[in-house]
Amino acid sequence: ALGSEPIPPSFNIGGVVVPTDVVQRKFSAEYRVVTESASPDRKRRVDPVLPGVSVGNVKVSAGTLGCVVYDAETGAPYALSNWHVLHGPDGAIGDLVVQPGTHDDNRVDDNHMGTLVRSHLGVAGDCAVASIEGRTFGREVIELAVTVDEIGEPALDDKVIKSGRTTGVTHGIVTRIHTLTKVDYGGAIGVRDVGGFEIGPDPMHEPVDGEVSRGGDSGSVWLFKRPNGKPSRIMAGLHFAGEGPADPNEHAVACYPASVF
C-alpha cells in the first residue's frame, strides 16, 4: 500500500558488492533519570567573586581572576588579571567585564562584574585591572586559602604554586628569569614582546596530565611556597602564557609583580 519494495540481498557500489542485513526488533519508550550537568565552581558565577575563578572582557573567551588589589589613591577594589583577559585585541577602557567569562557562560547581563579600568601590554607585562561593582568579593585564592598581601622577586629554583580556571592548583619551580617572550595576540595587535620569567613543573608535585598550565589559566597569580610547602601570601608572578605546541619543554610564563604593579 505504501509502494515500497523489498530490500535486495546486496548493493553494487562502484563495483563493490555490499551485502545487506535486516535485523527485526521491537522498541518501547524508556526513561533514564540523570542529574543536571553543572559547571565546575571555577567556571560558573560565584558569589562572592574569588581569585581563581573564570573572568573576562565580554569580547574575550575566559581567563582567570588573579587576585583583588586596591587603587593606591582611592582605595577602590579591582580585579587583577591579564591584558588579553580583561582587554583583548578588540577591547577598550570602559568595556564590560563579566564573571564568569563568556566562554563559560554567555549570559552577559546576568554576570556583570565591573568595567575595564586600566591595562598594559608590552615588555613590562600583560596585565589589567577591572572594577568590582554590584558583586561581593573575597580575597582568599580558591583552594589555596590565602590572600595576596605582598609582592616578591622570583629567583631561580624558587618553588611556587597557582590556582587557575582550567588546571586548578599546580606546583612549579622557577627555571629561567628575565625572559622576553614573543606572543601572537592576533588582530591588529599581532606579536608582542612580554617580559617575565619561566616556571617548570615541580618534580615533587607533578601535574596530573603533565600540564602546569593551560588556556584559561591566564591571569592566575603564582605565589611563593613556604619551607613547609604551604602557599605564602607573597605574589611571585602573574601568569600569562605557556609553551607552544612545538616546544617539548613544559613551562609557564609569568610577569614580574613589581613591573605589573
Side-chain angles (χ1 to χ4, degrees):
L2 296 176
S4 59
E5 298 180 0
I7 295 176
S10 64
F11 288 100
N12 190 309
I13 303 176
V16 178
V17 177
V18 180
T20 63
D21 188 13
V22 178
V23 179
Q24 290 182 307
R25 292 195 177 115
K26 291 183 179 180
F27 295 91
S28 61
E30 291 185 358
Y31 301 94
R32 182 165 61 97
V33 177
V34 297
T35 58
E36 181 180 356
S37 62
S39 300
D41 287 344
R42 294 174 181 274
K43 298 181 182 181
R44 61 184 176 88
R45 179 187 169 96
V46 295
D47 191 12
V49 174
L50 294 170
V53 300
S54 169
V55 72
N57 187 303
V58 291
K59 302 169 186 174
V60 174
S61 57
T64 299
L65 194 166
C67 65
V68 175
V69 296
Y70 295 90
D71 188 284
E73 295 182 2
T74 67
Y78 292 149
L80 173 67
S81 189
N82 289 145
W83 177 93
H84 72 270
V85 172
L86 299 182
H87 190 140
D90 301 318
I93 298 299
D95 275 357
L96 180 65
V97 172
V98 290
Q99 189 291 308
T102 56
H103 178 82
D104 298 321
D105 186 341
N106 63 5
R107 293 173 291 185
V108 171
D109 293 339
D110 296 334
N111 296 330
H112 176 272
M113 187 193 76
T115 56
L116 176 62
V117 176
R118 290 198 292 274
S119 68
H120 175 80
L121 176 64
V123 174
D126 175 343
C127 47
V129 289
S131 61
I132 304 174
E133 306 165 8
R135 300 280 292 270
T136 60
F137 67 90
R139 296 182 58 221
E140 281 197 351
V141 184
I142 286 184
E143 292 189 54
L144 298 185
V146 295
T147 60
V148 182
D149 292 331
E150 299 178 88
I151 62 174
E153 178 81 7
L156 289 174
D157 297 327
D158 279 344
K159 292 190 174 183
V160 292
I161 187 170
K162 74 107 181 73
S163 178
R165 165 199 173 274
T166 308
T167 58
V169 174
T170 56
H171 305 254
I173 294 179
V174 177
T175 53
R176 292 181 67 202
I177 58 175
H178 303 304
T179 61
L180 201 60
T181 304
K182 290 186 179 296
V183 181
D184 187 354
Y185 289 93
I189 303 301
V191 177
R192 293 294 180 93
D193 291 334
V194 182
F197 62 99
E198 290 184 4
I199 300 163
D202 183 346
M204 300 299 293
H205 300 277
E206 290 281 0
V208 175
D209 59 357
E211 295 288 336
V212 74
S213 69
R214 287 187 182 275
D217 286 328
S218 293
S220 305
V221 163
W222 287 96
L223 298 171
F224 290 107
K225 292 174 70 174
R226 300 181 184 279
N228 63 4
K230 301 294 185 181
S232 74
R233 296 173 179 266
I234 305 172
M235 177 179 174
L238 183 67
H239 178 81
F240 71 91
E243 81 286 349
D247 193 332
N249 298 316
E250 171 62 27
H251 65 271
V253 192
C255 310
Y256 283 99
S259 182
V260 167
F261 276 78

